[in-house]
Amino acid sequence: VALDPKTYQDNLGVAALTSSSARDVLMSRWHKPTLSVVSMKTSNTLESYSVIPCRAGAKVSIRYVPDQTAEEVVEGVRRHLEHEFAKRSSPNHLTVTTVQCGEWWVGNPQSSVFLAAKRAVA
């Protein structure tokens, strides 16, 4: 798999990548745990920026790896959010809901695509 880190960075529209090495960039995208905020929503249906919404939410996607379980990752995120929220001494409420969990890997590690990826990062 050919990857030019500078072209990839430009396509993403980001100031910098965590590494200039194609191998490291691919490893971080395919092999390491990640947490991505995929959507945010508030009760502010008017989208007025001077209104503080009474409710806000976010959806995150988490990729975990073989030495982790979905339950451990979900619980770790929950504990972290509750810890940070408690530091604010807010009268508001925090609710963490798990919508869906899956296995860390669903695929055939002997497929041609998997083997090409393996060769690319080896």
Side-chain angles (χ1 to χ4, degrees), residues 15-32:
L17 297 174
T18 57
S19 174
S20 61
S21 158
R23 182 181 186 279
D24 291 346
V25 170
L26 288 172
M27 290 289 284
S28 68
R29 300 303 182 266
W30 292 346
H31 187 262
K32 295 184 179 174

Side-chain angles (χ1 to χ4, degrees), residues 51-73:
V51 174
I52 298 173
C54 65
R55 180 173 287 215
K59 289 185 180 180
V60 298
S61 175
I62 301 171
R63 178 176 59 223
Y64 61 104
V65 294
D67 62 341
Q68 299 172 311
T69 67
E71 294 77 18
E72 291 170 337
V73 172

